[in-house]
């Protein structure tokens, strides 16, 4: 099982980026994104259910970020708009095998490698 994240980069404040996470080896009910900055705990950003009908966002990104998935591609996306310098972090893809959304970083079944997002002011 592997989660391959991509799409990070450097962008100016107000800009946009789209992260992708391609899963291989199995399918997952809940998939999502977390982020982490040095010296801080990994924090939940967004999660989505298999059907896409249930999506959750942290308050800090609500209205700016949008999570989606294409099950035929076994891929989850995070569209990030109106980026702020405080969004700068390493972003991690996460996946759950049980019928829950990945919201607790201490209970994640699978992690992808991180992808760096840097937002300049």
């Amino acid at each position: 099982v592997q989660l391959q994240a991509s799409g990070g980069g450097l962008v100016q404040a107000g800009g946009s980026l789209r992260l992708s996470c391609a899963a291989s080896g199995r399918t997952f009910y809940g998939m999502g994104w977390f982020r982490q900055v040095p010296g801080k705990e990994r924090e939940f950003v967004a999660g989505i259910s298999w059907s896409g009908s249930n999506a959750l966002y942290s308050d800090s990104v609500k209205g700016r970020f949008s999570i989606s998935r294409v099950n035929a591609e076994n891929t989850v996306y995070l569209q990030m708009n109106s980026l702020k310098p405080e969004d700068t972090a390493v972003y991690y893809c996460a996946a759950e095998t049980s019928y829950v959304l990945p919201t607790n970083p201490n209970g994640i079944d699978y992690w992808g490698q991180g992808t760096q997002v840097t937002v300049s002011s």
Side-chain angles (χ1 to χ4, degrees):
V1 175
Q2 187 175 15
L3 301 177
Q4 184 68 39
S6 62
L10 173 64
V11 65
Q12 288 189 333
S16 298
L17 282 174
R18 189 175 83 152
L19 305 183
S20 301
C21 175
S24 60
R26 65 163 296 156
T27 57
F28 298 95
Y29 173 78
M31 297 188 74
W33 294 91
F34 290 73
R35 65 187 182 187
Q36 189 170 24
V37 298
K40 291 192 174 182
E41 293 185 354
R42 195 167 294 187
E43 67 172 2
F44 168 75
V45 175
I48 190 168
S49 62
W50 169 262
S51 67
S53 62
N54 188 12
L56 295 176
Y57 298 91
S58 68
D59 289 342
S60 61
V61 308
K62 200 173 295 183
R64 300 187 297 121
F65 290 12
S66 177
I67 189 170
S68 62
R69 64 190 294 170
V70 178
N71 291 332
E73 299 172 358
N74 215 8
T75 300
V76 63
Y77 300 94
L78 185 68
Q79 178 66 43
M80 305 186 295
N81 299 327
S82 302
L83 282 161
K84 305 176 181 180
E86 51 264 42
D87 294 318
T88 295
V90 177
Y91 283 70
Y92 295 90
C93 176
E96 289 279 6
T97 57
S98 55
Y99 291 105
V100 295
L101 296 188
T103 59
N104 182 347
N106 297 315
I108 299 300
D109 289 332
Y110 294 96
W111 290 104
Q113 93 288 3
T115 183
Q116 176 71 46
V117 172
T118 302
V119 184
S120 63
S121 58

